[in-house]
Amino acid sequence: MYDIIVRDADVLQFDGDAPVLLPRHSIAVSNGRIVRIAPRVIDEPARESIPARGMLAIPGLINCHAHTAMSLFRGVVEDVPIEAWFNDYIWPMETNLTPEDVYWGAMLGIAEMIEAGVTCVAEHYFSIHAIARAVEESGIRANLAPTIFSGPDEAKHLAEAVDFVNRWNGAANGRISAWLGPHSPYTCTPDLLACVASEARRLRVGIHIHLSETAAQVAESRARYGKTPVAVVRDAGLFESPALAAHMAHPDLHDVAILAAHNVSVASTPKTEMKLGIGVAPVTALRAAGVTVGLGSDGAASNNDYDILEAARLLSLLEKHRHSDARVMPLGVALRLATSDGARAIGLGSVTGELREGLAADIVLLRRKAPHALPVHDAAATLLYSARADDVDTVIVAGRVLMRQRRLLTIDRRRVLREASRRAIRLTRRSEARVALYPTHQG
Ligand SMILES: [Zn+2]
């Protein structure tokens, strides 16, 4: 007997970068994995049967870079340049966060992600144990990297991060993987980066870091170290482990060659980058050089939502606009960034990211009944350019149904909304304290 059979859905797969639709197929799930995809109704018994006639089945979307608990700061500071955004607003406000706040903020963000068809998130934040608890309870899949900054307590924070990795890597039946998260080369000294690199090698885990976010950061790094942020991080040894570089808006040609040679992946977060006016990763050029790129949301303080379909849509439009060429970033490539390439970027390419037998049953079903989604001439076009987050009907992660007919089954939605609203006002208090200092640039 199967655990779940999704019956009669249109199933999205890929042939290379081309989307392929399998019409009216059924998907059988056992022990958390897809065990069969068949071109008809599978007649065998299942513990749970999900009728999906007319629905589109897609691989769960992958959010490759998030600060999920920052949902609590959604919309708190707008139209402000990045230096003031960090130093005058976000880093002072984040000193107010307790682990309980982080837990409820993470739950709010995870609820939003599940409702938008996101089944896996790469998280970079502090109070990471509270986030791990939210991930464990909600049933979402996650790669968790505790954020580390330089400062008087850096050795203690690194030791705590190592403890976290030992405790959580592979936890929740393998749904949780744990990496190390040095914040960036502008908030971590080369010495600290080298210590993190050596711990990552010892633990055999990856690194998740913010890198080359703005042109000013690159100029500052050249002035201070005589090399780009990418070269600083490489020389500290961080690229000797699997590495995920968030943003990467300003690599030069030499940087791109370094990323490709070391198999470093990039998480592009186009909405945040456009909104802060800092530039968006040259994704088409990175991919052409062989760099794996996934999509992220960053925190909701800058991105305002955790909608990865929106990120794919924005990036596709942006790349066509950048190159003045409609052929750039075709449908299948944009959808792969949000699914299989995203999974590979965070070290989970053999686990999730596609609807294939043997991979995890991370499955999203979308309704296509509303005016904005009909008629369906091309299912991939409908998905990328017309679908809305609330077209998502059902979400399955590791063979467990987390949402059915838009009802969350593992999260007390009303309580999450209440707790988040109740905490939000207190968190906006700004004192002299900051979690870190963003370097200010001259001229
Ligand atoms: Zn970030």
Side-chain angles (χ1 to χ4, degrees), residues 65 67 210 247 298:
H65 179 68
H67 315 291
H210 296 92
H247 308 298
D298 218 353

Side-chain angles (χ1 to χ4, degrees), residues 213-234:
E213 298 164 307
T214 71
Q217 284 173 15
V218 177
E220 178 98 342
S221 177
R222 285 187 187 282
R224 197 156 154 202
Y225 300 118
K227 47 193 172 186
T228 64
V230 168
V232 169
V233 166
R234 179 214 38 204

Side-chain angles (χ1 to χ4, degrees), residues 65-67 70 86 124 183 208 210 213 246-247 269 272 298-299 302:
H65 179 68
H67 315 291
M70 291 183 85
F86 272 127
H124 197 297
H183 179 267
H208 184 172
H210 296 92
E213 298 164 307
H247 308 298
T269 67
T272 281
D298 218 353
S302 52

Side-chain angles (χ1 to χ4, degrees), residues 3 108 126 183 231 244 287 379:
D3 293 330
L108 182 69
F126 43 84
H183 179 267
L244 174 67
R287 291 184 84 255

Side-chain angles (χ1 to χ4, degrees), residues 105-185:
M107 271 301 197
L108 182 69
I110 290 169
E112 180 189 348
M113 282 193 248
I114 294 171
E115 290 188 357
V118 176
T119 56
C120 179
V121 56
E123 172 68 29
H124 197 297
Y125 215 52
F126 43 84
S127 294
I128 194 86
H129 286 271
I131 298 169
R133 193 154 58 88
V135 168
E136 189 173 40
E137 292 171 15
S138 65
I140 200 167
R141 188 182 300 282
N143 173 288
L144 303 176
T147 302
I148 304 164
F149 295 105
S150 271
D153 294 330
E154 64 185 38
K156 178 169 157 269
H157 290 152
L158 178 54
E160 287 168 357
V162 168
D163 286 347
F164 175 82
V165 169
N166 283 325
R167 155 95 174 75
W168 285 97
N169 197 22
N173 289 326
R175 267 193 297 115
I176 294 178
S177 53
W179 284 9
L180 294 174
H183 179 267
S184 65

